[in-house]
Amino acid sequence: MKEKAIVLDEQAIRRALTRIAHEIIERNKGIENCLLVGIKTRGIYLANRLAERIKQIEGNPIPVGEVDITLYRDDLTTKTPNNEPLIYGSSIPVDIKEQTVILVDDVLYTGRTVRAAMDAIMDIGRPSQIQLAVLVDRGHRELPIRADFVGKNIPTSSSEVIVVELNEVDPIDQVSIHEKE
């Protein structure tokens, strides 16, 4: 894939996450009974960054969990030598019953990842509400799913790919558009 453009640099990502943190607090009238749940893998890093900002703003921590959607995907692929799916596991630090679960992911595209994450959450428990926060919404939805909190809307063509790099696992913090070759 060939890089076409950098659409968010490190400062723009930081600003977007700060804005999302404020929007989460405002919409939920604080953070009581709220829980951030990152969708593996980059969603968990974004959820942790949001939790840091929310704590700076509110003065109180917000619980952060992570969900592995591998077994909930409708396009399950095998990645181990014995043809089994690679499973990382989920970790939710509090009972989600009567909680507002805020799913966090890097890119919203077809909606299938979010659908799988909602199924995984519902298997863990029944929250009072599920909200969705994404760094990038690139359009092209296949399911009727919409983000509640969006860092940046980036309209793309189907021949383009959004690449999110976060310094927790990548050498740089940036979001770029790449052209499929």
Side-chain angles (χ1 to χ4, degrees):
M1 288 188 302
K2 183 178 142 194
E3 185 178 287
K4 281 178 73 172
I6 295 173
V7 289
L8 293 173
D9 60 12
E10 184 175 358
Q11 283 186 322
I13 291 171
R14 190 176 322 110
R15 282 192 300 270
L17 291 175
T18 299
R19 184 173 33 77
I20 290 171
H22 281 282
E23 290 174 0
I24 287 170
I25 294 164
E26 184 176 334
R27 176 167 178 175
N28 293 292
K29 297 176 178 65
I31 56 169
E32 190 176 334
N33 298 319
C34 289
L35 163 70
L36 296 173
V37 176
I39 300 173
K40 289 193 175 181
T41 51
R42 282 176 176 75
I44 186 59
Y45 304 125
L46 294 172
N48 285 328
R49 291 182 189 192
L50 281 171
E52 287 175 25
R53 281 166 181 76
I54 289 171
K55 184 177 180 182
Q56 289 169 354
I57 298 164
E58 286 290 288
N60 293 316
I62 183 170
V64 179
E66 55 189 60
V67 65
D68 180 2
I69 62 163
T70 304
L71 296 177
Y72 295 88
R73 295 194 62 90
D74 56 10
D75 61 350
L76 183 64
T77 56
T78 57
K79 299 212 175 167
T80 61
N82 59 355
N83 289 329
E84 295 292 325
L86 196 55
I87 301 170
Y88 298 100
S90 297
S91 171
I92 308 293
V94 296
D95 182 6
I96 65 171
K97 185 177 180 187
E98 301 307 316
Q99 295 283 315
T100 296
V101 171
I102 302 155
L103 286 173
V104 181
D105 205 6
D106 55 353
V107 178
L108 177 56
Y109 181 36
T110 62
R112 294 182 181 280
T113 296
V114 175
R115 187 228 24 104
M118 289 190 297
D119 286 348
I121 291 294
M122 296 305 281
D123 275 355
I124 293 168
R126 188 173 192 277
S128 63
Q129 186 178 49
I130 298 176
Q131 297 172 0
L132 176 62
V134 297
L135 182 59
V136 174
D137 184 344
R138 65 170 288 192
H140 302 281
R141 217 72 77 239
E142 294 175 4
L143 299 173
I145 291 175
R146 172 187 62 79
D148 299 283
F149 313 102
V150 178
K152 185 164 181 74
N153 286 293
I154 303 173
T156 60
S157 75
S158 55
S159 67
E160 295 173 323
V161 176
I162 296 288
V163 176
V164 175
E165 296 173 279
L166 300 174
N167 63 22
E168 288 89 345
V169 289
D170 301 304
I172 192 169
D173 263 10
Q174 75 178 15
V175 177
S176 53
I177 298 177
H178 291 241
E179 189 74 39
K180 291 180 186 174
E181 293 179 1

